[in-house]
Amino acid sequence: MPGFEIFGDEERREVQDVLETGILFRYGFDAARKGRWKARTFERELARRTGAARALLCSSGTAALSIALAACGVGAGDEVILPPFTFVATMEAVVHAGAVPVFADIDETLCLDPAGLEAAITPRTRAVIPVHMCGAMARIDEIRSLCDRRSLVLIEDACQAVGGSYRGKALGAFGHMGCFSFDSVKTVTCGEGGAVITDDEALYARADAYADHGHDHVGADRGAEGHSILGTNHRISELNAAVGLAQFRKLDRILEIQRAAKKALKTGLSDCARIRFRELPDPEGDSATFLSFFLPDEESARKSVKDLSEAGVDGCFYWYDNNWHYLRRWDHLKQMRGAARLPMELISNPPDYQNIRLKRSDDIMSRAVSMLIKLSWSDRDIAERIERMRTVLKG
Ligand SMILES: *Cc1c(COP(=O)(O)O)cnc(C)c1O
């Protein structure tokens, strides 16, 4: 999964290229930078690959979510529907936008269930953020048509799904905006970095301004730039963009390695009657960063994770108990522990996060196990892994 496993001369060369000019800032310095535009080049390549009209690099995936919410005009008091299985960043971005996270059930795609989404819509719902978890897609066509029908803003959290697609169209390209993360453990890494993509020029202009103090980036004199909106600083540096550019150009190779490993694993485990693989609305578009499967019940899932670890099968996750990725353990949200008073405390009846019940999600997550697929595995590593997994999962 993580692109850092295949760092090489390509990354070193791009970074060196930036250091030679000394221009680490992504804007301006036109003469001094000698034609080296790492952030801008990465943006063009990301837009081309995803089929989006525009891409904007930024400092993180979390920043990308904040930028997308701001650009789409989602803010104070707006309800935003999201799944309970994601990284805390999705929820944080909503909270810090002044909006209110509303959680809706997932299904066996491990992503937002369109029916769960529909049931969570209220007159205050403004936006929906489906998350393409563990490298693969939500039922994004159904979610998109529901959002169209109900006039809701659709922002895709594709932070874990760069390179993934649904019926040939890139994940992240279905919504008004799509968000990517290039943090240090993601498929493509900048060290720290992220991006938003969109087909809408007006949204792009607002995103571009918001991510850089509202500056409109018009004209050569930076000090004379106008401010269309209040913004902040979510910029990426040329150094981070340089690493990401080299990494992004390896994406096809990364996908090929992951998909081959996953195919071998699925074939090798196909007669393990106790497990059922995660549902994939379009298996062809899976970026294959993880192999996820379900055990019949919570008890056997817990036991399998323990047995797999004891059998030397590393990289297995039991998300149900995970502090980072599943709502059940987000005590800081449940107690609304903000650094300061949270905007959502000002609304008349904020959600009672302490007593949220998402029975369907709990049932699914309590049976789910995911295993990281590594780029560094040899054929022999994979064969051994299959043997070890079979002894645990066949029984
Ligand atoms: C990693 C991640 C983010 C946040 O990305 P950062 O670059 O670490 O800020 C957001 N959502 C999901 C689903 C992620 O996995």
Side-chain angles (χ1 to χ4, degrees):
M1 174 199 173
F4 72 71
E5 291 182 272
I6 53 167
F7 275 148
D9 287 340
E10 301 81 2
E11 286 79 1
R12 277 187 279 276
R13 221 175 297 127
E14 294 295 338
V15 171
Q16 196 58 37
D17 218 22
V18 174
L19 290 175
E20 273 168 18
T21 64
I23 306 302
L24 310 189
F25 197 60
R26 65 151 303 171
Y27 297 111
F29 297 93
D30 293 32
R33 68 197 313 135
K34 301 185 182 143
R36 293 164 197 190
W37 299 89
K38 301 306 175 186
R40 195 185 279 184
T41 307
F42 189 173
E43 285 167 350
R44 287 189 182 147
E45 295 189 15
L46 179 63
R48 197 178 316 131
R49 174 151 191 147
T50 55
R54 293 289 205 153
L56 176 76
L57 274 192
C58 58
S59 54
S60 71
T62 310
L65 288 158
S66 293
I67 293 166
L69 287 163
C72 292
V74 180
D78 292 332
E79 288 183 359
V80 179
I81 298 174
L82 65 160
F85 179 44
T86 179
F87 177 50
V88 285
T90 322
M91 168 276 287
E92 288 174 326
V94 173
V95 168
H96 294 308
V100 180
V102 171
F103 296 91
D105 270 321
I106 57 164
D107 57 26
E108 292 202 356
T109 64
L110 294 181
C111 301
L112 193 61
D113 172 24
L117 159 59
E118 185 151 30
I121 296 174
T122 76
R124 287 204 294 209
T125 307
R126 188 70 206 294
V128 179
I129 312 184
V131 185
H132 303 294
M133 278 304 275
C134 305
M137 72 293 302
R139 295 183 205 286
I140 194 63
D141 54 343
E142 290 173 56
I143 292 172
R144 159 108 190 234
S145 49
L146 181 54
C147 289
D148 285 348
R149 225 164 44 240
R150 305 293 291 263
S151 303
L152 300 175
V153 169
L154 175 59
I155 295 170
E156 291 172 83
D157 182 338
C159 285
Q160 295 191 5
V162 69
S165 59
Y166 176 74
R167 299 203 176 146
K169 182 169 169 150
L171 300 180
F174 288 82
H176 294 93
M177 298 198 110
C179 303
F180 296 100
S181 166
F182 306 120
D183 79 21
S184 58
V185 294
K186 295 298 206 281
T187 308
V188 163
T189 182
C190 291
E192 298 284 2
V196 291
I197 58 169
T198 186
D199 277 338
D200 185 323
E201 287 294 334
L203 290 183
Y204 170 79
R206 284 167 67 88
D208 180 54
Y210 183 76
D212 186 24
H213 306 293
H215 299 326
D216 61 16
H217 300 144
V218 174
D221 180 1
R222 295 221 73 223
E225 282 177 292
H227 297 112
S228 52
I229 51 170
L230 291 164
T232 185
N233 176 10
H234 287 315
R235 292 187 310 261
I236 193 163
S237 85
E238 284 287 277
L239 281 176
N240 293 84
V243 174
L245 179 60
Q247 284 262 294
F248 191 65
R249 288 173 174 165
K250 296 179 179 179
L251 183 55
D252 281 324
R253 194 173 122 213
I254 292 174
L255 294 176
E256 197 182 316
I257 296 169
Q258 288 174 171
R259 285 170 175 165
K262 185 158 178 175
K263 190 164 172 226
L265 286 159
K266 277 186 126 170
T267 307
L269 301 173
S270 59
D271 62 344
C272 295
R274 290 175 64 231
I275 62 167
R276 217 174 59 246
F277 295 116
R278 167 190 183 175
E279 219 175 293
L280 296 168
D282 175 17
E284 300 278 304
D286 179 8
S287 73
T289 51
F290 282 89
L291 175 72
S292 300
F293 49 88
F294 301 104
L295 275 295
D297 51 46
E298 177 176 344
E299 194 190 334
S300 52
R302 283 184 188 282
K303 184 165 185 328
S304 299
V305 173
K306 189 166 158 280
D307 292 348
L308 284 167
S309 164
E310 281 167 11
V313 179
D314 61 358
C316 291
F317 293 86
Y318 184 58
W319 305 117
Y320 193 53
D321 285 347
N322 187 287
N323 288 344
W324 286 20
H325 293 282
Y326 192 53
L327 170 67
R328 196 166 83 99
R329 291 293 181 96
W330 295 348
D331 291 339
H332 56 335
L333 171 69
K334 292 183 183 175
Q335 292 159 17
M336 293 223 220
R337 287 201 304 261
R341 195 169 173 209
L342 297 171
M344 69 177 156
E345 293 178 66
L346 298 175
I347 63 170
S348 51
N349 49 346
D352 178 7
Y353 294 112
Q354 299 257 22
N355 291 303
I356 287 183
R357 286 282 170 279
L358 289 166
K359 275 179 61 183
R360 176 132 190 262
S361 302
D362 278 350
D363 170 57
I364 291 167
M365 295 309 294
S366 69
R367 294 183 285 113
V369 178
S370 298
M371 185 179 74
L372 198 66
I373 290 177
K374 287 203 171 168
L375 299 172
S376 49
W377 288 341
S378 66
D379 287 348
R380 178 138 176 237
D381 292 336
I382 295 170
E384 269 179 22
R385 183 166 287 261
I386 291 170
E387 274 323 298
R388 290 176 185 180
M389 291 179 81
R390 283 173 62 82
T391 57
V392 173
L393 299 171
K394 271 204 96 164

